[in-house]
Amino acid sequence: MPSMSRRTLLRTVAAGGAAVSVPGLLTACSSSDSGDGDVSNAGKKLAPWPAYRPAAGPKPDLAPTDAGVQAGYTTYPSDLVKSVSRTPGDGSTVRVMTVSFGTPPKPSSQNRFWAAVEKALGVKIEYTIISQADYQKKMATVMAGDADALPDIINMFAGFTLPREAQFVQRRAQDLTPYLSGDAIADYPNLAGIPTHAWRDMGRIGGRIYGIPLERPLPGSTLWINQDLFADAGMKEGWTADDFAAVARQGTRGRTYMLGAANGSLFGNAYHSAAHNAPQRWAVTKDGSTFLPAAADERYKASIAFQAQLRKNGSYHPDATSISQIDLTTLYYNGTVGSMQDGFGAYLPKYRESKGKMSPAAALPYSVGGEPGGIVAARRSFGYTVLKQAKKERIELLLRILDYLAAPFGSEEWELVHYGVEGVHFTRAKDGSPEFTKLGEVENNTNLPLKYLAEGPQVLFVPGMPDAVRALHAWQRKVVPHAIRDASFGLQSATNNSQGATLKTFLDDTITGIIAGRLPMSEWDAAVKRWRSRGGDRMAEEYAKDYAANT
């Protein structure tokens, strides 16, 4: 296996980093490029979604709901199930590539976790790991390169809109419809355990299934607060926007700022726009005929003005436009900032790393004008995994590998992939929960991010912290009914595929400039008008056509 010096390695980067602004491109991109292939689902025969069959596993302590509240486990299962009957691989080498938010792993020759996973899978893994900061640049190179040089398994990270991503997948990736559509997925029981909502939010391309989604919980971007700081400053359940602003002012003193934000997070705009009940990127009319952009909604505009006032009041950390997400997390743990926006799925490190230091909690939304605030509904697919085109036998081998990695919580395979080898990477606490050893803290599924290739359905579980699980489950029961979903999830737009990244950056830069005080609020309407004329309105039309084809 090549040495790590020959691979793309990680830098410590912001988990919410934005693309580099290229304002000049906005005026140049006035039409979508349809020459790369028709990726729309309109007018196509749609492949049936894979037939969902829940994987066998332990009964949860806290029940899930059909609305999207997750199953919760207050204790670790004592009897693990075996979800894979045989070794998936054939001894060959499999080249994989994923995004990562961890630190670089030790080389495979020195990494016992890596070796254990290779043994279980029955293959040698040649791993290219890309930091989020490098993801767009690296993927642009991969997408433009020789098809023969593609890795066998590629993680398509949902954090960025890659130019002509769908066209690349349609042209270069394996069409998985014959292997996964309908009852065909029964050959891969753990993949069949991925809920239908994840496949739908991943979406089809040209009516076909090209990827395997990484299922995620319904709550998306979340305001994580230091519960003690916010309570001392007057936080209360049922708070209003005015209450929120007052708490932010009251708690900010000396070197403590109640509101922290990272570069590219728009000062945490996702939480605030949802609390204002603004659409999240796109809304659709009840009859499905018209798509409406969030940017043109007055509630979205009001959320930007509200944040600009919070910043003017001095409640935000002064480095909110430049600090990385990782550095912001450090400030959150040490009490310098009282809150930060992060994905809901970040709850596990939030509770684990802050233990004994502070009390993390997911903030309830505030109300605006007497209306209960909403929360961000995440795309239920944190990206998806595609396979290099190959012969049937090779594709089946790769799918068996992904089936192993998609093992459910409470299985032997899940434990290996998430915790490594007992006695080497983890030991058992008194309650049976896995606890990382010193070696497990550096050899794990974060630094060697297998979890971004395939993963089973997400559950609520914090080792040794049953009260945290109960609190998260109770929070979900309160907020899930108010989740606001981006209506474009799982749909195709040629204009978004070709120009979405540039158009998004233009709006994001405008939002950041207004909240930071570099631009007046009056700039917003002009920016939205320009965004619509340069592609936003075409996206709306294309999404409406694709929506009609999928319903």
Side-chain angles (χ1 to χ4, degrees):
M1 189 171 290
S3 65
M4 291 304 292
S5 62
R6 292 174 59 191
R7 294 192 180 95
T8 302
L9 294 181
L10 298 170
R11 294 200 305 261
T12 301
V13 295
V20 176
S21 174
V22 192
L25 291 181
L26 188 63
T27 55
C29 296
S30 59
S31 63
S32 62
D33 182 358
S34 59
D36 288 333
D38 181 11
V39 297
S40 171
N41 295 292
K44 310 294 195 312
K45 182 180 179 181
L46 303 182
W49 295 122
Y52 172 59
R53 293 181 176 86
K59 182 180 179 181
D61 302 300
L62 302 170
T65 69
D66 292 340
V69 175
Q70 289 178 278
Y73 292 84
T74 57
T75 58
Y76 191 69
S78 57
D79 296 317
L80 302 181
V81 301
K82 190 170 181 61
S83 70
V84 176
S85 59
R86 67 185 180 97
T87 302
D90 59 3
S92 62
T93 296
V94 174
R95 298 171 59 232
V96 303
M97 184 173 75
T98 66
V99 71
S100 179
F101 304 101
T103 55
K106 293 187 296 184
S108 60
S109 60
Q110 305 170 26
N111 194 315
R112 296 176 69 180
F113 175 67
W114 195 328
V117 172
E118 286 184 329
K119 180 179 179 181
L121 295 177
V123 294
K124 298 295 290 183
I125 302 172
E126 190 175 304
Y127 217 132
T128 299
I129 300 172
I130 315 174
S131 71
Q132 188 203 22
D134 293 334
Y135 183 80
Q136 284 183 302
K137 182 178 180 180
K138 177 65 175 178
M139 280 302 302
T141 301
V142 170
M143 291 164 67
D146 186 355
D148 292 336
L150 288 176
D152 297 294
I153 304 176
I154 306 173
N155 162 242
M156 306 299 293
F157 174 46
F160 291 114
T161 300
L162 297 171
R164 297 175 179 83
E165 177 181 316
Q167 285 90 343
F168 162 76
V169 171
Q170 186 184 61
R171 187 173 63 250
R172 295 287 185 84
Q174 179 70 43
D175 180 357
L176 298 177
T177 306
Y179 303 90
L180 302 177
S181 181
D183 291 330
I185 201 171
D187 289 338
Y188 311 99
N190 289 334
L191 297 181
I194 298 173
T196 304
H197 59 242
W199 299 95
R200 285 176 175 159
D201 274 10
M202 175 188 73
R204 305 178 184 90
I205 298 176
R208 310 293 285 177
I209 298 171
Y210 283 88
I212 294 170
L214 299 168
E215 195 265 353
R216 286 297 183 266
L218 180 64
S221 294
T222 301
L223 186 69
W224 291 99
I225 61 173
N226 182 322
Q227 195 163 17
D228 295 333
L229 283 180
F230 269 73
D232 290 345
M235 178 186 67
K236 59 185 178 181
E237 188 162 345
W239 57 355
T240 66
D242 289 341
D243 294 331
F244 183 95
V247 167
R249 284 197 305 270
Q250 177 67 24
T252 298
R253 57 173 66 89
R255 295 186 177 182
T256 298
Y257 298 86
M258 291 296 276
L259 306 179
N263 171 41
S265 72
L266 318 183
F267 287 83
N269 177 258
Y271 169 81
H272 294 286
S273 60
H276 280 72
N277 285 299
Q280 295 302 298
R281 193 163 173 261
W282 291 99
V284 63
T285 55
K286 289 184 178 180
D287 64 1
S289 63
T290 306
F291 265 61
L292 307 170
D297 192 290
E298 287 299 314
R299 293 167 295 184
Y300 196 85
K301 181 179 178 180
S303 74
I304 298 171
F306 179 71
Q307 289 178 267
Q309 188 60 50
L310 292 173
R311 196 274 316 160
K312 190 175 181 180
N313 291 346
S315 300
Y316 277 104
H317 189 278
D319 296 332
T321 60
S322 60
I323 196 169
S324 73
Q325 184 81 350
I326 289 177
D327 288 341
L328 177 64
T329 302
T330 299
L331 298 183
Y332 175 70
Y333 289 149
N334 68 26
T336 300
V337 299
S339 66
M340 63 178 291
Q341 183 173 279
D342 206 344
F344 177 78
Y347 74 83
L348 187 57
K350 290 287 185 293
Y351 281 92
R352 186 172 57 207
E353 300 299 327
S354 64
K355 194 173 184 179
K357 303 174 187 176
M358 45 86 77
S359 300
L364 292 168
Y366 52 77
S367 62
V368 178
E371 292 293 323
I375 67 160
V376 177
R379 187 170 192 155
R380 305 301 297 275
S381 170
F382 184 73
Y384 56 101
T385 296
V386 299
L387 306 181
K388 177 182 178 179
Q389 293 177 4
K391 294 181 179 179
K392 181 174 182 288
E393 293 76 14
R394 181 67 171 176
I395 296 301
E396 290 172 340
L397 179 147
L398 298 176
L399 289 173
R400 290 197 302 271
I401 290 171
L402 296 176
D403 184 68
Y404 187 105
L405 298 178
F409 178 79
S411 67
E412 295 176 4
E413 295 81 8
W414 185 94
E415 183 174 89
L416 172 66
V417 173
H418 288 79
Y419 283 97
V421 179
E422 184 173 3
V424 177
H425 300 102
F426 73 93
T427 57
R428 303 278 181 192
K430 290 181 179 179
D431 65 354
S433 298
E435 290 185 337
F436 281 121
T437 63
K438 288 185 178 180
L439 183 63
E441 291 175 354
V442 294
E443 293 184 7
N444 53 47
N445 200 1
T446 297
N447 299 338
L448 187 72
L450 300 161
K451 59 187 174 182
Y452 298 138
L453 295 176
E455 195 165 24
Q458 303 283 292
V459 301
L460 289 172
F461 174 65
V462 184
M465 301 181 71
D467 288 343
V469 176
R470 295 187 186 98
L472 292 168
H473 193 269
W475 178 83
Q476 285 196 4
R477 291 186 67 87
K478 292 175 183 176
V479 302
V480 159
H482 304 288
I484 302 172
R485 183 178 184 273
D486 179 349
S488 73
F489 286 158
L491 303 180
Q492 295 296 333
S493 158
T495 302
N496 183 63
N497 284 332
S498 62
Q499 298 171 227
T502 301
L503 290 166
K504 181 179 183 300
T505 298
F506 169 67
L507 279 187
D508 287 356
D509 286 351
T510 304
I511 293 169
T512 300
I514 291 171
I515 298 174
R518 298 192 295 265
L519 296 173
M521 192 69 221
S522 58
E523 286 291 319
W524 181 245
D525 289 341
V528 172
K529 182 177 181 181
R530 185 179 179 192
W531 174 86
R532 296 184 72 157
S533 68
R534 297 300 179 182
D537 284 345
R538 280 196 308 278
M539 279 191 264
E541 294 171 1
E542 291 160 1
Y543 279 133
K545 290 179 181 178
D546 214 62
Y547 180 86
N550 278 274
T551 54

